[in-house]
Amino acid sequence: MAVVLVLIQALLLGNIHILGVASPLLYIYFVIQTPRNTPRWLTMVACFILGLFVDVFFSTPGMAAASMTLAGFVQPAILELYLHNADDKDFCPGIQSMGTEKFTAYVLFLTSIYTTAFFTLEAFSIQHWELWFFSIVGSTFVTVLSIVILSMVFSTTGVLMGRR
């Protein structure tokens, strides 16, 4: 799944910048779909490696790797906010399993953390704080919208990145 997401990002979504600030960052879907029982260290390592691939494609030295590692670190805690303790230990987040409202809130929270970290590292100053702010808000909105639509398509077709 990670390879497909990076290729889609690199080949299709890489040059999309809505109003010059909002970019869909679909590869975040990888960390969003990480099952509940996945060890945190494994999630962080996988997110770091995925971030490195994104960095190579987009010449963003370490920004995606650091931001994805942060997202991988906080993902289990954020997922627990939207689940009950009695839920299945092998739980995999999705619209079908969480419901549209909870899933959208979960995606919004995790994507906000990622985009804030990414664009803060990219800007590395507050000289152009307006551009920084609108990049975070715009990219978060476009990414959340893309992921929720993609999840709806997967849940209605019964396909989840290669699983039937």
Side-chain angles (χ1 to χ4, degrees), residues 1 15 23 35 37 48 55 80 95 99-100 112 121 123 134-136 144 149 151 157:
M1 175 172 75
N15 294 319
S23 302
N37 65 346
F48 176 77
D55 285 333
E80 290 299 319
I95 282 185
T100 304
S112 297
L121 289 172
F134 288 120
S135 294
I136 290 170
V144 169
I149 290 171
S151 296
T157 60

Side-chain angles (χ1 to χ4, degrees), residues 69-147:
T69 304
L70 174 63
F73 178 74
V74 299
Q75 185 267 348
I78 293 171
L79 181 60
E80 290 299 319
L81 292 174
Y82 297 98
L83 298 179
H84 302 292
N85 289 336
D87 283 336
D88 184 19
K89 294 293 180 194
D90 295 329
F91 181 83
C92 189
I95 282 185
Q96 209 166 23
S97 59
M98 295 175 76
T100 304
E101 289 178 17
K102 279 187 178 180
F103 182 73
T104 302
Y106 164 68
V107 171
L108 177 64
F109 196 179
L110 197 58
T111 302
S112 297
I113 290 171
Y114 175 82
T115 56
T116 300
F118 183 84
F119 289 111
T120 300
L121 289 172
E122 183 181 56
F124 211 66
S125 84
I126 60 168
Q127 184 176 6
H128 302 287
W129 68 270
E130 299 93 354
L131 180 62
W132 170 81
F133 177 76
F134 288 120
S135 294
I136 290 170
V137 171
S139 294
T140 298
F141 176 76
V142 171
T143 301
V144 169
L145 186 65
S146 301
I147 289 173

